[in-house]
Amino acid sequence: MRMIKYEGLELVSGGVCAPKGFKAAGVHCGIRKNRAKKDLAMICSDQLCDAAAVYTQNLVKGAPILVTQQNLKNGKAQAVIVNSGNANTCNADGEAKAAAMCEIAGKALNLPEEDVIVASTGVIGQVLELEPIVSHAEELAKALSYEGGHDAANAILTTDTCEKEVAVRFELAGKTCTIAGMAKGSGMIHPNMATMLCFMTTDAAIDHEVLQKALSTVVNDTFNMVSVDGDTSTNDMASIMANGMAGNPLIDSVESEEYELFREALFAVLMNLSRMIAGDGEGATKLLECVVTGAVDTQNAKIIAKSVITSNLFKCAMFGEDANWGRILCAIGYSKADLDIHKVEVILSSEAGSLQVCKNGAGVAFSEEKAAEILKEEEIKIIVNLGDGNGKAVAWGCDLTYNYVKINGDYRT
């Protein structure tokens, strides 16, 4: 997946271990039957961190979310433990087992259990067996290293086809700071915390309340603008730990230049992870990016962008490389956004070029051959100009393919 670069921000390797003072690891403990797949990950900071998180808006919440919410009430954390293969959701003993995972990790790391963030992903409604986690906790803790980010990113995958890692480096008050993140997400992805897990690390010094504000606002413009299939998961979580080891003066106000720089860097990380999640949608062959400009306001722009990328008919057209622009206008029309449909302009674009297919709410003559060239690319941009105001937004999705049905037809078995 092509990474989007920003001026003043350097893309670096290392994943969640790119910031100073973070170790990570991933092992196979036996939750998943396939021994070739890692299924237990850990991240640990050298010192206690300010921390923040956002969670799924599904009323059915995975037990790990409830435990993590309790642990983060004081805005502090030092470690993460997460398993794949079992979501630990809709189980009578779920909370007790999520709390036990924190206790297991705390004991292995010699940390208070309340300083541990816990997460799970996988099948819903299946009882989580703790024995594999207990028997491999020491191994996992001993495997922690400053180069272990990729193994951790691998261990949280479910139907994902690749690891999702981003890290950016930037200057903050004369100090070099880094923000990094790893994520998983491929199916059950829809706005309002998409269906995904994301764990972020930073060596910047930032107060936990300010960190929460930054995370919440950036998630609204990134993860909450991603959809693969319209299903909002039960276990979505995005957490961030900031250990302050970069040595910058503490960011303790949202009314500062330093806060804006931090927020911009965080946006770069989560925006790129959002693109990776959308592009790796279950069975997907194309990343779809809908860019809306000229809306009455930002909220209306978001409504329209999300309506386009969640349209199953349009997603099917993109799989078939069919420039069926009427499906775009249809999705705009039922979005319930405030707009004048007679001003709408639509352009399809990719590395193969750009092509206007609609103007003033009506079709225009265009070359089907050129359209086919544009839609053969793996990344397709749908540009919607509304001509009503200054509101703008971007949403990310993917095409809908035969393989999506195949993957989800036998996911549990």
Side-chain angles (χ1 to χ4, degrees):
M1 183 65 61
R2 180 174 61 94
M3 298 278 278
I4 306 298
K5 299 178 181 180
Y6 284 83
E7 186 177 352
L9 301 175
E10 178 189 3
L11 289 167
V12 295
S13 61
V16 291
C17 294
K20 296 174 185 174
F22 285 97
K23 298 177 182 178
V27 300
H28 173 82
C29 73
I31 296 173
R32 305 179 72 159
K33 303 299 185 224
N34 187 344
R35 295 188 60 82
K37 290 184 177 290
K38 294 180 174 64
D39 55 13
L40 189 62
M42 183 177 280
I43 305 169
C44 187
S45 169
D46 290 346
Q47 59 190 46
L48 188 64
C49 302
D50 281 273
V54 292
Y55 312 94
T56 183
Q57 294 181 34
N58 193 319
L59 291 179
V60 178
K61 290 179 171 58
I65 285 180
L66 304 178
V67 173
T68 294
Q69 285 177 318
Q70 184 64 34
N71 286 357
L72 289 185
K73 278 188 174 180
N74 65 352
K76 301 292 182 181
Q78 193 166 349
V80 173
I81 185 167
V82 52
N83 72 274
S84 60
N86 187 312
N88 190 17
T89 298
C90 298
N91 296 320
D93 62 355
E95 283 189 62
K97 286 186 173 176
M101 285 180 65
C102 294
E103 182 181 1
I104 293 164
K107 183 178 179 182
L109 297 169
N110 195 27
L111 298 175
E113 61 186 85
E114 60 267 23
D115 289 339
V116 178
I117 292 168
V118 60
S120 298
T121 184
V123 178
I124 295 171
Q126 182 172 301
V127 175
L128 175 66
E129 299 297 333
L130 284 180
E131 193 282 328
I133 298 172
V134 172
S135 62
H136 288 79
E138 291 295 334
E139 174 193 347
L140 182 62
K142 288 179 181 178
L144 288 170
S145 77
Y146 297 117
E147 291 78 40
H150 191 70
D151 284 344
N154 177 267
I156 66 174
L157 304 183
T158 51
T159 56
D160 307 63
T161 65
C162 61
E163 295 80 9
K164 300 169 177 69
E165 303 174 272
V166 180
V168 299
R169 193 155 287 158
F170 59 105
E171 294 298 313
L172 196 62
K175 300 293 183 179
T176 300
C177 299
T178 306
I179 301 177
M182 68 181 197
K184 64 81 50 184
S186 188
M188 286 183 76
I189 305 283
H190 191 59
N192 293 331
M193 273 304 297
T195 297
M196 40 73 65
L197 293 177
C198 179
F199 306 99
M200 291 156 279
T201 58
T202 181
D203 49 21
I206 180 169
D207 174 77
H208 70 88
E209 292 184 354
V210 179
L211 184 62
Q212 183 67 61
K213 177 69 173 178
L215 179 62
S216 297
T217 56
V218 172
V219 162
N220 280 336
D221 291 332
T222 53
F223 290 145
N224 283 353
M225 296 300 290
V226 176
S227 183
V228 167
D229 50 20
D231 278 292
T232 300
S233 173
T234 59
N235 286 53
D236 301 343
M237 178 195 301
S239 68
I240 183 167
M241 297 190 295
N243 64 18
M245 293 180 67
N248 63 289
L250 180 70
I251 303 172
D252 57 5
S253 170
V254 298
E255 303 295 334
S256 67
E257 181 180 344
E258 288 73 24
Y259 171 78
E260 289 301 326
L261 287 170
F262 179 89
R263 197 168 69 90
E264 181 182 343
L266 183 60
F267 177 85
V269 171
L270 299 195
M271 181 273 297
N272 274 297
L273 287 173
S274 294
R275 285 171 48 85
M276 291 178 184
I277 289 170
D280 192 35
E282 287 176 343
T285 65
K286 299 181 189 300
L287 167 66
L288 308 179
E289 180 176 276
C290 183
V291 179
V292 175
T293 61
V296 171
D297 54 31
T298 299
Q299 185 57 31
N300 277 278
K302 286 185 173 183
I303 291 170
I304 292 166
K306 288 191 285 190
S307 187
V308 171
I309 58 104
T310 56
S311 164
N312 282 335
L313 283 175
F314 174 63
K315 287 154 65 71
C316 289
M318 292 299 93
F319 172 56
E321 299 173 358
D322 176 12
N324 193 340
W325 61 268
R327 293 179 177 179
I328 300 172
L329 248 57
C330 178
I332 293 171
Y334 63 60
S335 70
K336 298 184 180 179
D338 181 8
L339 76 148
D340 180 351
I341 198 68
H342 300 292
K343 295 180 182 179
V344 175
E345 174 185 79
V346 178
I347 296 171
L348 299 177
S349 178
S350 72
E351 288 190 350
S354 296
L355 189 69
Q356 186 176 54
V357 294
C358 171
K359 184 177 182 180
N360 297 328
V364 296
F366 63 87
S367 165
E368 292 286 358
E369 290 76 16
K370 181 61 179 178
E373 288 179 22
I374 291 170
L375 298 182
K376 283 190 188 313
E377 299 294 322
E378 293 182 356
E379 294 186 22
I380 309 299
K381 184 177 291 188
I382 304 95
I383 302 168
V384 179
N385 299 319
L386 300 172
D388 286 325
N390 297 317
K392 57 185 178 180
V394 182
W396 299 274
C398 61
D399 55 346
L400 181 57
T401 73
Y402 311 128
N403 278 336
Y404 177 86
V405 177
K406 184 176 185 299
I407 291 166
N408 285 284
D410 59 3
Y411 177 73
R412 193 171 61 89
T413 53

